[in-house]
Amino acid sequence: PGSSSLEGASGNSPTGDATIINLPREGGTGDIAKTALVPVTREFTAEEQINISVYDKVSQSVVNINTKARRGEYWMLGGPQNQEGSGSGWVLDNQGHIVTNHHVIENADVITVTLSEDKDSYTATVIGSDPQNDIAVLKIQAADDLLKPVQLGESRTIRVGQKIFAI
């Protein structure tokens, strides 16, 4: 003669949405016998499916960019200070060209690029930079099979009102 009702509360599991279910003890004492984390199956909206698809197509083309700059400013007579920064970019082609924002590499003395599927870092050189439009092109020397260029669309086919994704 125990209670068979389940108490549920929404929660998050490490792998996605889940519901926490408290199972009562036999005899209806009100104590909880155990707690179960039950995955919740959910459908993605059409917009979410598009976003996921875009991510899946370009994620291996996204790179991590780290910068170091040595500044002549002295801090408490300790000498020049090093500044570090980071940002992201994407692989343009199989020749090792990387597109990023100008502000990511501005004033950097050393620029390193890490590819998504290769944890080695590559020293980059600045090919060109446009501060006003906040864009820069870098070049790294990496094996062709490690470079996964983003497949670009045709700007002449884009219509006003269309959704675009900035990578």
Side-chain angles (χ1 to χ4, degrees), residues 12 21 24 70 84 103 110 118 164:
N12 287 321
I21 298 182
R70 189 171 184 96
E84 296 183 357
H103 72 265
V110 177
D118 179 18
I164 62 164

Side-chain angles (χ1 to χ4, degrees), residues 65-147:
I65 299 171
N66 290 299
T67 61
K68 291 182 182 178
R70 189 171 184 96
R71 297 289 159 250
E73 303 156 359
Y74 285 82
W75 177 254
M76 302 294 277
L77 302 175
Q81 300 298 302
N82 291 324
Q83 292 180 330
E84 296 183 357
S86 64
S88 62
W90 48 273
V91 178
L92 177 63
D93 57 29
N94 282 0
Q95 288 74 48
H97 291 102
I98 307 294
V99 178
T100 190
N101 295 103
H102 170 79
H103 72 265
V104 171
I105 55 97
E106 185 175 23
N107 299 321
D109 296 319
V110 177
I111 304 168
T112 55
V113 173
T114 305
L115 303 174
S116 67
E117 294 185 1
D118 179 18
K119 298 309 172 197
D120 290 333
S121 293
Y122 301 89
T123 300
T125 56
V126 177
I127 300 299
S129 184
D130 182 352
Q132 185 173 356
N133 292 300
D134 196 26
I135 193 162
V137 177
L138 312 175
K139 177 122 167 79
I140 62 170
Q141 298 295 322
D144 288 357
D145 61 324
L146 296 175
L147 297 167

Side-chain angles (χ1 to χ4, degrees), residues 43-89:
E43 302 271 333
F44 295 110
T45 67
E47 184 174 4
E48 287 173 324
Q49 289 174 351
I50 291 169
N51 294 346
I52 291 166
S53 174
V54 169
Y55 173 81
D56 288 344
K57 286 182 181 177
V58 300
S59 63
Q60 62 185 329
S61 302
V62 175
V63 301
N64 182 52
I65 299 171
N66 290 299
T67 61
K68 291 182 182 178
R70 189 171 184 96
R71 297 289 159 250
E73 303 156 359
Y74 285 82
W75 177 254
M76 302 294 277
L77 302 175
Q81 300 298 302
N82 291 324
Q83 292 180 330
E84 296 183 357
S86 64
S88 62

Side-chain angles (χ1 to χ4, degrees), residues 14-48:
T15 58
D17 292 336
T19 296
I20 299 169
I21 298 182
N22 296 322
L23 303 172
R25 288 196 186 280
E26 286 284 327
T29 62
D31 292 336
I32 297 172
K34 62 178 156 176
T35 300
L37 190 61
V38 180
V40 175
T41 305
R42 84 176 190 85
E43 302 271 333
F44 295 110
T45 67
E47 184 174 4
E48 287 173 324

